Amino acid sequence: MKEQLYTIPVNDAFEKDCECPLCFMYNNLEEDAVSFTLGPSYMEDDIRLETDKAGFCMHHIKQLYKHQNRLGVALILHTHMKYTTDKLKSATKSSSPSKKGLFSKKEQSGTGAYISSLEKSCYICSRIDNVFKRYIATVLHCYVHDEDFAGKFTKCKGFCTKHYGMLYEAAGSLSGTKQKEFISTLDTVYFENMQRVIDDLEWFIDKFDYRNENEPWKNSKDAVQRSILKTNSYFEEG
């Protein structure tokens, strides 16, 4: 199978010795998106208009802040804050808070609705998700049409729970025998590797029992980090 634009990063990820190839792909996309956001692009009017409207989630504003381009972050936040406050000033003129209790279910005011939508919005998340969906589709395409890739898929170290779920749902695009085969393989790869990490985590815990003090660590020294990746799709050193 001739590698196309999206098959190259997918194949590369499944050749890595990692607990979730999809996390590996996502992290690469995230690094690229952060670098792009704070590269020359932030001075372009069309990109700045998008960041002004969308803003950033808590995770990605932290990533931007760590990037060390404080001037770039300041410029992006400056126009985003101006855009946000202008929108809120307009919203507050045409809406008022509900008189219902604080925790009662109610229709949000224009102000509340705008803030709620802003909290769910992130320029970097959107930029990543647009490509990541294509990566998911490419995984299924390669599994069905490329025997070498199907072998890599079967032999990988599994997936985090989030990306297992995404692959499971994406399998709905397959039909008949191919869908059953893919889901069967996916389940086997996911559950067997989850059990492997669970076993490593159990031994990590058992090592704190004085009776096991002189026993070898086996493969458990990084079991906590790998467990966090399996359960939360994320781990950061330090």
Side-chain angles (χ1 to χ4, degrees):
M1 177 181 175
K2 185 178 180 180
E3 289 192 327
Q4 303 297 325
L5 179 61
Y6 295 113
T7 65
I8 294 173
V10 168
N11 268 289
D12 287 348
F14 276 84
E15 290 173 357
K16 297 293 181 182
D17 181 23
C18 61
E19 293 291 350
C20 180
L22 272 68
C23 281
F24 180 85
M25 288 187 277
Y26 188 92
N27 290 340
N28 283 343
L29 287 174
E30 185 175 62
E31 289 177 8
D32 290 344
V34 171
S35 295
F36 174 85
T37 303
L38 285 177
S41 64
Y42 73 80
M43 295 303 294
E44 297 176 11
D45 291 341
D46 56 337
I47 300 298
R48 187 69 72 82
L49 182 60
E50 291 184 48
T51 59
D52 286 349
K53 289 181 178 179
F56 304 95
C57 66
M58 183 183 296
H59 172 66
H60 286 131
I61 196 62
K62 289 180 180 178
Q63 295 297 312
L64 291 173
Y65 187 72
K66 289 179 181 179
H67 202 269
Q68 300 303 316
N69 184 353
R70 300 293 169 81
L71 175 59
V73 174
L75 290 168
I76 291 170
L77 290 178
H78 180 246
T79 52
H80 170 60
M81 292 171 73
K82 289 177 66 177
Y83 180 92
T84 301
T85 52
D86 286 345
K87 293 287 287 186
L88 283 171
K89 285 177 182 178
S90 297
T92 55
K93 290 178 181 178
S94 58
S95 67
S96 58
S98 171
K99 293 182 179 179
K100 293 183 179 180
L102 180 62
F103 299 106
S104 61
K105 294 182 179 179
K106 59 188 177 185
E107 289 288 330
Q108 287 185 310
S109 65
T111 300
Y114 174 70
I115 293 175
S116 180
S117 67
L118 193 60
E119 289 176 345
K120 299 172 184 176
S121 176
C122 174
Y123 171 77
I124 291 178
C125 284
S126 297
R127 186 176 178 84
I128 295 170
D129 289 346
N130 289 334
V131 179
F132 195 69
K133 288 176 183 176
R134 296 172 190 167
Y135 282 179
I136 294 288
T138 302
V139 170
L140 270 70
H141 177 83
C142 289
Y143 180 88
V144 171
H145 298 284
D146 185 343
E147 290 185 6
D148 289 339
F149 178 82
K152 294 177 190 176
F153 187 97
T154 303
K155 294 175 183 176
C156 79
K157 288 186 172 181
F159 308 95
C160 68
T161 299
K162 175 181 178 179
H163 292 142
Y164 161 74
M166 292 179 73
L167 288 169
Y168 190 93
E169 290 300 317
S173 64
L174 302 176
S175 58
T177 305
K178 289 297 182 183
Q179 184 185 98
K180 290 181 180 179
E181 178 190 337
F182 178 80
I183 290 177
S184 176
T185 303
L186 174 65
D187 284 349
T188 298
V189 171
Y190 172 75
F191 288 111
E192 286 186 355
N193 282 284
M194 282 293 283
Q195 188 60 52
R196 170 179 56 81
V197 178
I198 289 170
D199 292 343
D200 288 344
L201 191 63
E202 286 178 356
W203 182 242
F204 178 89
I205 294 168
D206 288 344
K207 270 291 291 175
F208 285 85
D209 187 323
Y210 73 92
R211 291 170 294 185
N212 297 319
E213 183 179 358
N214 296 319
E215 296 295 326
W217 282 91
K218 302 178 184 179
N219 295 319
S220 70
K221 282 191 174 181
D222 63 345
V224 173
Q225 293 96 317
R226 290 186 286 116
S227 298
I228 291 172
L229 189 147
K230 288 291 194 187
T231 58
N232 293 83
S233 314
Y234 175 79
F235 183 77
E236 182 178 1
E237 294 285 356

